[in-house]
Amino acid sequence: MSLHTESPDLAESSPEIEFERYELREGPAYHFALDRRDFLRGLGGGLLVLYLLDRESPEAEAQESGGRRRGGFNRAPVPQDVGAWLHIGEDGKISVFTGKAEVGQNIRTSLAQAVAEELRVPISAVTMVMADTKLTPFDMGTFGSRTTPDMSRRLHRAAAAAREALIDLAAETWKVDRQGLTAKDGAVMKTASGEKLAYGKLTGGRKLTRTVTDDTPTTPPEKWTISGHEAAKVEGRTFVTGSHQYSCDIRRPGMWYGKVLRPPSYHASLVSMDPSAAQAMPDVKVVRDGDFVGVIAPSEHGAAQALAAIKAEWKPGPPISDRDLFRDLKAPGGQRPPERGGRGGGGGFGGPNVNAGSTADGLAAADVRSEETYTIAYIAHAPLEPRAAVAEWVNGELTVWTGTQRPFGVRGELTGAFKLPESRVRVIVPDTGSGYGGKHTGEAAVEAARLAREAGRPVKLVWTREEEFTWAYFRAAGVIEIKAGVKKDGTISAWEFHNHNSGPSGVQCPYRAASEAVAFHQSQSPLRQGSYRALASTANHFARESHVDDLARAIGMDPLEFRLKNLKDRRMRDVLEAAARAFGWGRKPESGRGVGIAVGMEKGGFIATCAEVAVDRSSGRVQVVRAVSAFDCGAVVNPDHLKNQVEGAMVMGLGGALFEAIAFDGGKIQNPKFSKYRVPRFRDVPEIEVVLIDRKDVAPAGAGETPIVAIAPAVGNAIRDATGVRLRSMPMVPRGLKV
Amino acid sequence: MPDTQELRINGKTVRVEADRNRTLLGVLRDDLGLTGSKYGCGEGRCGACTVLIDGAPARSCTTKLAAVASREVTTIEGLERDGKLHPLQQAFLDAGAMQCAYCTSGMIVAGAGLLRQNPSPSRQEIVEYMDGNICRCGTYNRIIAAIQSAARAVKEASR
């Protein structure tokens, strides 16, 4: 993963790029070269194009350095291997194979656009085969906003190479110069006469293979006719009719249903259990394997009844609580949970520390100094489709359908759990009911597989909402401390920023400061924590953009002007100005309302958000009434789907900004239900406007994460504007605004 | 204990052999293969399982099988007629009112319940009526736009 930035000083100051924590911790120890013949099996004649990963590519480099620097896991270098492949059959059928998973970000559409663009065919002519470990090449996972910059780029190249190979074949067939030939609508055509040969016919019964690497020329964004334009969601009809099969909808012949016995609190251990009442129920099987206890029954209802009938005695674990969470996160060891082999999250690497000049001197030279602490609660991803899996064993081979962002990682979990070679495990990811960084792990897959082995038949396991809220993992909580000094002319003389636990993503200061110290500090997290959309960037942007707002106010400068004056990056200034213009920044809001602005950069994308809030002083209700974001992620691939992502990220971000927080006490989650854990609903949603800055000159970056980072500080700054109250905790108003 | 029960689902009479204390959602999904209705919370707080019972939206995850005897149940699978999408289904596609789409069935069915009761709802009326349905991807504004455009389409068609 590379953090795209135009400022070389920033790039150099961040040698440690935050890797998503789970996929490395829990990834396979080795990855061996694939047997190419596997790819060809089952395919008839036609043209096969293999995209070879370049060992020198920045992505491979980042992956290698991720393993090398952090050590201890995934030491094997990423092999030079196939990153994607594409097949054009004799029947003209175009099939594209990628390990990426569709979880709602609409990449099934955007990747099909990339192939259709280069092959000069309609999108409907392209079939995307995704996230199936038997059919698609290895992929690290669908995270880090890498699908568009990596996979889309690869598919553009693979499809462009296929097109050129087809033109060569036509030239050979007709014995003419290829200059006079054009690829169009699934055929190669003599440009002058219009005589055509369909793609499928050109291979003439042969099985041809081409390889392609990163230097294959592709169609530049300004000439795109399919990419860069609106395209309807591929297979959209299956979603509005309810016919799409998510993992939890898969049914297999003879399938039974499983449930897993959960401890009453974290780190509790099973002392004894009496399964006799459950076992007395007809057709019920109880499975105990070490700490794992599960039941299987012909219906989900039966499985739930059997589970409830098991009498179990538990020895409680440490009574972890959120009471002194933020103190403890700053003082590692305060609530240290027992280590669980490789599952704790939390990383194992230092932060992207920055030290430039003396902040002590900088603070001494300041006209105004400001020192504050910001806190960030744990929140849950709460994907509407909880973890689910259907597992089936046939002749010692395991197939699991499950919703995950890391099919190959989950395969690794399964091969590890059952001591199987990779060739005997297949993970299939049906397009999934969202993830937001929360589905990097394969708990349900492993559990369903264990139960299915016992049952001797396929087993479906769907986590309950309570299980999803409790036994998945959380976005990290954190404490952020900032000390800053500013001069009356609006220059920043000192910037000191410490993040405890939540993570180093987006920790760098995008503003010029005469002296700077930035550090990320590891803590022992009492809860299992992991990736969440934009990682810690949301927390770091909240703290920084709130603090910067206060600095501007302290010297009587407009917050927009202050930012524009100090921002280093041109693209950040551009989005800031675009958002301010569309929002009408500078207009005074009506009484009881306030406006706020914030800007950010993450994963190659640039976001600025303006928000207007209405605060009802008597009830304490805070309503975001209007929000405008300007977003630049390079060349736009699908304008409407991109807007959808930006809108969705803003709405999701409102939850963490205003009211989402995981409460835990006595080793238990206190609010593991939608009736107790508030997520954004219809009534919380403001009028939203999205301004896209389409940079045809810049290769597209991913867009699923970055637009979430600026909404919380924009709203906080608007609340400050409306009320004079500065809120420094996320969530800001879980019980309304108490003034 | 399993009982045999006749149900009216999507205009057809079906017989199921199932414990009357099971949820309607479980029976629809596991016994009848109607998996368009989704489990999201099990407590009627997310709306992913919404079906129409005698034309009114209901949470099938908290509705016992016994409660729907001799009542007309409509699921997302029952909205399409003769290969033609319900105006709301079409409007959701046209408005791009989904991302992962796991909430979409429940949203469309709840929206159909709303339009039956109020053929031209205002934005505020949609917000209030639909507030029990969660879209974690945050496509709410698009869903509102889709419901409004479906309302217009229905009105146009009946003109």
Side-chain angles (χ1 to χ4, degrees):
Chain A
M1 299 210 310
S2 64
L3 189 78
H4 173 95
T5 165
E6 287 194 334
S7 311
D9 55 329
L10 273 183
E12 281 162 25
S13 68
S14 56
E16 288 284 351
I17 295 159
E18 179 176 15
F19 224 100
E20 311 258 341
R21 299 172 183 190
Y22 272 87
E23 51 281 357
L24 280 182
R25 285 230 138 186
E26 301 183 357
Y30 299 98
H31 185 71
F32 300 108
L34 289 160
D35 182 346
R36 291 276 148 65
R37 287 167 305 179
D38 278 355
F39 283 12
L40 296 165
R41 212 171 283 153
L43 285 177
L47 173 65
L48 177 71
V49 177
L50 304 174
Y51 179 94
L52 295 183
L53 281 180
D54 181 357
R55 198 182 277 268
E56 304 305 318
S57 75
E59 188 204 10
E61 188 98 28
Q63 290 178 351
E64 279 199 66
S65 66
R68 191 172 56 232
R69 287 209 191 110
R70 271 134 222 164
F73 42 83
N74 211 21
R75 283 179 178 280
V78 172
Q80 163 138 358
D81 215 327
V82 176
W85 58 303
L86 180 157
H87 184 259
I88 301 172
E90 285 181 284
D91 53 1
K93 188 176 173 194
I94 299 166
S95 305
V96 183
F97 300 78
T98 164
K100 295 293 180 196
E102 171 67 60
V103 291
Q105 72 287 49
N106 281 330
I107 60 170
R108 185 176 289 282
T109 306
S110 65
L111 295 177
Q113 282 179 275
V115 172
E117 174 68 48
E118 299 295 349
L119 277 175
R120 320 287 190 236
V121 295
I123 294 168
S124 58
V126 178
T127 301
M128 296 297 305
V129 179
M130 300 172 71
D132 178 332
T133 62
K134 196 178 177 79
L135 299 180
T136 66
F138 175 81
D139 185 81
M140 290 282 284
T142 307
F143 55 79
S145 292
R146 300 311 302 171
T147 300
T148 294
D150 296 339
M151 190 54 64
S152 180
R153 191 194 66 209
R154 286 177 202 162
L155 293 183
H156 268 285
R157 284 176 166 74
R163 180 195 67 225
E164 294 306 308
L166 291 165
I167 292 174
D168 284 340
L169 286 170
E172 198 180 289
T173 306
W174 281 321
K175 303 198 171 26
V176 297
D177 182 4
R178 74 189 310 285
Q179 295 303 323
L181 304 179
T182 314
K184 202 183 165 190
D185 296 334
V188 180
M189 187 179 80
K190 288 182 181 166
T191 316
S193 69
E195 189 185 344
K196 279 183 190 172
L197 259 175
Y199 288 166
K201 302 280 173 241
L202 283 164
T203 47
R206 291 169 291 175
K207 284 187 177 184
L208 301 174
T209 303
R210 295 280 186 277
T211 57
V212 53
T213 49
D214 223 12
D215 49 9
T216 307
T218 55
T219 308
E222 64 270 18
K223 293 198 174 150
W224 282 347
T225 57
I226 295 173
S227 291
H229 295 75
E230 308 289 2
K233 185 179 178 74
V234 168
E235 296 176 13
R237 196 182 169 105
T238 67
F239 294 101
V240 298
T241 55
S243 65
H244 170 71
Q245 298 226 305
Y246 297 86
S247 301
C248 62
D249 301 326
I250 300 285
R251 303 199 312 160
R252 301 291 300 165
M255 184 179 82
W256 280 16
Y257 297 80
K259 292 275 177 195
V260 175
L261 185 70
R262 305 291 174 193
S265 60
Y266 288 123
H267 312 298
S269 46
L270 189 58
V271 176
S272 68
M273 87 145 181
D274 174 7
S276 53
Q279 276 165 336
M281 295 175 169
D283 294 332
V284 165
K285 271 189 185 175
V286 179
V287 183
R288 178 165 186 186
D289 189 342
D291 285 344
F292 176 85
V293 178
V295 298
I296 322 148
S299 74
E300 188 164 25
H301 183 69
Q305 285 184 319
L307 188 75
I310 292 177
K311 294 188 190 71
E313 192 192 330
W314 301 86
K315 181 174 172 283
I320 52 170
S321 163
D322 58 22
R323 229 165 302 140
D324 296 314
L325 173 65
F326 300 119
R327 185 199 67 191
D328 294 343
L329 288 178
K330 276 184 63 187
Q335 293 194 26
R336 191 177 183 131
E339 286 292 333
R340 291 166 63 190
R343 300 196 102 191
F349 54 93
N353 295 351
V354 174
N355 270 299
S358 157
T359 52
D361 291 353
L363 285 166
D367 293 318
V368 178
R369 283 166 284 276
S370 169
E371 179 174 353
E372 297 292 350
T373 299
Y374 299 80
T375 59
I376 316 297
Y378 289 105
I379 60 175
H381 309 78
L384 206 55
E385 182 190 20
R387 281 165 167 70
V390 174
E392 178 174 281
W393 295 83
V394 177
N395 300 328
E397 297 206 359
L398 171 64
T399 301
V400 181
W401 291 259
T402 192
T404 177
Q405 298 172 249
R406 296 175 57 250
F408 290 87
V410 171
R411 183 182 66 179
E413 289 184 48
L414 291 164
T415 57
F418 297 99
K419 313 275 184 297
L420 289 170
E422 286 180 353
S423 60
R424 300 182 82 83
V425 179
R426 178 180 187 183
V427 174
I428 301 171
V429 181
D431 291 7
T432 293
S434 76
Y436 319 116
K439 286 185 179 163
H440 289 191
T441 46
E443 299 87 349
V446 174
E447 292 162 357
R450 182 65 189 83
L451 294 173
R453 198 175 70 177
E454 195 74 19
R457 52 170 74 233
V459 167
K460 177 188 288 193
L461 174 70
V462 179
W463 277 23
T464 63
R465 178 56 55 194
E466 290 80 357
E467 286 177 299
E468 179 67 35
F469 263 117
T470 307
W471 300 104
Y473 53 86
F474 301 99
R475 184 194 71 183
V479 179
I480 295 169
E481 296 170 305
I482 307 180
K483 267 188 236 178
V486 66
K487 292 189 172 182
K488 281 187 180 138
D489 64 359
T491 55
I492 301 169
S493 61
W495 182 261
E496 194 170 328
F497 190 104
H498 296 272
N499 177 309
H500 301 270
N501 189 63
S502 82
S505 225
V507 79
Q508 298 89 353
C509 183
Y511 301 102
R512 265 180 230 97
S515 64
E516 199 178 333
V518 173
F520 164 60
H521 309 276
Q522 290 273 99
S523 311
Q524 282 295 329
S525 168
L527 297 185
R528 186 184 184 210
Q529 60 187 22
S531 295
Y532 183 104
R533 195 175 200 174
L535 304 175
S537 208
T538 299
N540 287 322
H541 278 78
F542 170 70
R544 181 175 59 245
E545 290 297 302
S546 299
H547 208 81
V548 161
D549 223 64
D550 281 351
L551 293 179
R553 285 173 184 282
I555 56 163
M557 195 179 267
D558 177 81
L560 170 64
E561 189 190 338
F562 183 78
R563 286 177 171 84
L564 289 172
K565 178 181 169 68
N566 288 298
L567 278 172
K568 292 185 252 191
D569 196 297
R570 173 69 197 277
R571 288 170 78 184
M572 281 184 94
R573 288 200 298 275
D574 286 351
V575 289
L576 195 56
E577 285 179 322
R581 203 177 312 120
F583 184 75
W585 185 261
R587 275 204 305 267
K588 207 175 147 45
E590 60 186 82
S591 166
R593 293 191 173 191
V595 294
I597 192 166
V599 65
M601 173 190 77
E602 182 61 30
K603 298 195 161 77
F606 300 80
I607 180 86
T609 300
C610 296
E612 178 172 349
V613 302
V615 179
D616 181 340
R617 290 262 184 177
S618 55
S619 67
R621 180 171 166 76
V622 174
Q623 177 80 43
V624 181
V625 292
R626 194 163 70 95
V628 175
S629 282
F631 187 49
D632 163 13
C633 59
V636 172
V637 173
N638 184 320
D640 189 58
H641 287 183
L642 178 57
K643 279 189 175 173
N644 198 348
Q645 280 300 311
V646 178
E647 293 162 16
M650 291 165 72
V651 171
M652 190 173 206
L654 280 179
L658 294 175
F659 38 72
E660 281 185 48
I662 283 291
F664 60 105
D665 193 25
K668 294 180 190 185
I669 301 300
Q670 301 296 311
N671 52 351
K673 300 171 168 203
F674 282 132
S675 56
K676 294 184 172 175
Y677 182 95
R678 182 175 166 198
V679 297
R681 290 178 180 269
F682 277 95
R683 68 177 63 207
D684 298 309
V685 173
E687 181 192 317
I688 294 176
E689 185 186 343
V690 175
V691 179
L692 298 180
I693 297 176
D694 189 3
R695 295 275 309 255
K696 300 282 189 212
D697 56 324
V698 179
E705 302 186 74
T706 307
I708 201 173
V709 304
I711 183 78
V715 168
N717 293 339
I719 293 172
R720 167 68 183 78
D721 186 50
T723 64
V725 177
R726 169 60 67 189
L727 300 170
R728 294 193 173 85
S729 299
M730 281 180 76
M732 289 185 274
V733 288
R735 281 166 290 277
L737 183 65
K738 304 282 192 293
V739 183
Chain B
M1 280 297 104
D3 297 318
T4 304
Q5 189 172 332
E6 276 195 357
L7 299 175
R8 290 282 298 164
I9 310 280
N10 295 332
K12 290 189 199 114
T13 303
V14 295
R15 292 170 77 83
V16 290
E17 227 176 85
D19 185 329
R20 292 162 61 85
N21 285 319
R22 282 178 60 197
T23 63
L24 175 59
L25 178 65
V27 172
L28 288 172
R29 291 177 51 81
D30 299 339
D31 297 42
L32 300 173
L34 296 171
T35 54
S37 308
K38 307 299 183 196
Y39 168 85
C41 70
E43 54 168 348
R45 293 300 188 111
C46 79
C49 68
T50 306
V51 299
L52 299 178
I53 299 179
D54 293 338
R59 303 298 189 227
S60 65
C61 76
T62 53
T63 302
K64 296 280 187 251
L65 191 58
V68 294
S70 73
R71 300 178 72 184
E72 197 69 40
V73 176
T74 307
T75 70
I76 186 70
E77 290 89 350
L79 291 185
E80 188 180 347
R81 290 281 155 83
D82 307 323
K84 192 170 162 29
L85 295 179
H86 184 283
L88 268 168
Q89 292 173 312
Q90 189 60 50
F92 270 63
L93 281 183
D94 295 344
M98 71 202 79
Q99 285 180 21
C100 83
Y102 192 78
C103 73
T104 303
S105 298
M107 290 287 181
I108 290 175
V109 172
L114 168 61
L115 293 185
R116 270 177 79 104
Q117 182 197 305
N118 178 355
S120 29
S122 68
R123 180 185 169 95
Q124 191 52 35
E125 286 168 336
I126 295 171
V127 165
E128 281 166 18
Y129 194 91
M130 300 291 292
D131 205 51
N133 284 61
I134 292 172
C135 170
R136 284 294 284 146
C137 300
T139 67
Y140 294 113
N141 282 345
R142 287 165 178 261
I143 293 170
I144 294 168
I147 292 172
Q148 288 178 321
S149 115
R152 281 193 300 273
V154 171
K155 227 178 297 165
E156 294 285 315
S158 63
R159 204 170 270 173

